[in-house]
Amino acid sequence: MATTVPDGAIDEAIVARVPEDVARGSLTKCAPLAKLVWFKSGGPADWLFEPEDLDDLRLFLARLNPAVPVMALGLGSNLIVRDGGIPGVVIRLGKPFSGCEVEDDCTIKAGGGTPGILAASTARDAGIAGLEFMRGIPGTVGGFVRMNGGAYGREVSDVLVDCTVVMRNGDSMVLPASALRYSYRHSELPPGAVVVSARFKGEPGDPEAIGAEMDRIADAREQSQPLRTKTGGSTFKNPDGASAWKLVDEAGCRGLELGGAQVSEKHTNFMINTGDATSADIEGLGEEVRRRVRDQSGIDLEWEIQRVGRP
């Protein structure tokens, strides 16, 4: 069983193993995270590390005390950071990991920090069809590879060739899609592993038709989802044979409020921060929705949004 470092000893564990001259990227103590996540709520990370490049990330993790927890952060879309903040180190991949290139007629390679819209646009410009759905995923490649992100009838497991990850000990390896053992919004990628790049394979297509499909997806999202609010994306997974939004609506939760959190009137599988919600408000509202749906239908909704950190 792995040992853990008590909260009060994390600073000492990090400083002892990762001296300032080792970390070439940005290493920030007690770093605010609310501004980095879509809900705009939650506490700070004990430490936030933004590596300068792949070697920097690998060396940092290799030198970091193995008992210190590590979590990767993308665009912060499907995430509730609890108000007590996140223990250990949060890894955020910036511009050095946000490139996207065409490898051959039907394959693109994207960095772990690449937004879905950039991956989809790169494929469109190269005449690669089948990746349009990434236009509808509000996150980065690293996040939706880990979570088997999907939208509009397709998901990452349909198109992933392989991904390059840096493991918690600093080792880098290429994992084929089969190694992730994908299921609905889940993979078996080890905790602490960071996806630094991934390859996706589509099929030959017409750039104009691909662009039209991307526009359709963008319009559908705009019309049906509360995109111009502080939200976190889809809150609950769709149960087998049912739609989460419909179950929430039938349980009378449309517009339901708790503190500064509210179930969206526009799409009932979205929660929003109306202005001053704490993460406790948001998570508490989600649990109340789950209770009401369970009482109404007997179905126990599962969270799709990740909830991390200390209460």
Side-chain angles (χ1 to χ4, degrees):
M1 179 179 295
T3 58
T4 58
V5 178
D7 284 354
I10 284 178
D11 287 355
E12 289 75 9
I14 291 173
V15 172
R17 295 292 294 270
V18 187
E20 291 184 3
D21 59 349
V22 169
R24 291 183 287 112
S26 172
L27 181 60
T28 306
K29 183 177 179 180
C30 198
L33 294 180
K35 63 183 179 181
L36 301 180
V37 300
W38 280 31
F39 271 126
K40 304 303 179 191
S41 68
D46 287 352
W47 292 86
L48 176 67
F49 182 55
E50 298 172 280
E52 186 170 298
D53 52 32
L54 177 58
D55 288 341
D56 193 28
L57 174 61
R58 292 186 61 190
L59 182 59
F60 178 86
L61 290 177
R63 294 289 184 88
L64 183 63
N65 187 314
V68 174
V70 169
M71 188 195 88
L73 175 67
L75 293 182
S77 53
N78 281 83
L79 187 69
I80 294 173
V81 173
R82 292 179 172 129
D83 298 310
I86 298 180
V89 179
V90 171
I91 306 287
R92 188 165 186 254
L93 303 183
K95 288 184 179 180
F97 298 87
S98 61
C100 193
E101 61 185 18
V102 178
E103 283 206 331
D104 58 38
D105 290 345
C106 293
T107 305
I108 67 168
K109 181 178 182 180
T114 304
I117 186 173
L118 177 57
S121 298
T122 299
R124 175 201 61 204
D125 295 345
I128 300 174
L131 307 185
E132 297 91 339
F133 74 97
M134 293 184 182
R135 172 66 179 84
I137 302 179
T140 58
V141 164
F144 58 68
V145 165
R146 172 178 285 278
M147 297 301 296
N148 192 20
Y152 300 94
R154 304 209 79 189
E155 55 190 8
V156 167
S157 59
D158 296 326
V159 296
L160 181 69
V161 177
D162 53 38
C163 60
T164 300
V165 302
V166 177
M167 306 301 282
R168 177 59 183 82
N169 63 1
D171 288 346
S172 177
M173 62 183 64
V174 177
L175 300 176
S178 59
L180 276 66
R181 299 184 183 275
Y182 277 133
S183 56
Y184 179 60
R185 301 297 178 265
H186 176 76
S187 77
E188 294 188 9
L189 195 65
V194 180
V195 177
V196 294
S197 68
R199 295 195 303 152
F200 305 101
K201 188 175 183 64
E203 57 193 31
D206 174 58
E208 187 171 330
I210 295 168
E213 174 63 7
M214 287 175 59
D215 290 343
R216 184 193 70 79
I217 289 172
D219 184 63
R221 291 186 69 228
E222 181 70 34
Q223 295 301 317
S224 65
Q225 300 175 11
L227 301 180
R228 302 185 186 280
T229 63
K230 291 181 281 189
T231 185
S234 295
T235 305
F236 304 110
K237 298 178 181 180
N238 288 322
D240 290 340
S243 296
W245 77 264
K246 190 173 184 181
L247 292 168
V248 173
D249 205 19
E250 290 173 346
C253 297
R254 185 181 294 270
L256 183 67
E257 297 182 3
L258 177 64
Q262 181 185 54
V263 174
S264 171
E265 298 269 6
K266 191 172 187 178
H267 192 312
T268 53
N269 199 27
F270 282 67
M271 295 188 295
I272 60 176
N273 177 353
T274 62
D276 59 355
T278 63
S279 290
D281 290 340
I282 298 167
E283 187 171 5
L285 177 61
E287 289 297 337
E288 175 62 16
V289 169
R290 294 183 68 233
R291 184 190 69 78
R292 295 192 183 197
V293 169
R294 188 166 51 246
D295 290 347
Q296 166 75 17
S297 65
I299 295 175
D300 194 9
L301 289 177
E302 293 184 42
W303 283 90
E304 182 169 325
I305 288 178
Q306 290 184 288
R307 295 152 295 142
V308 298
R310 312 177 186 94

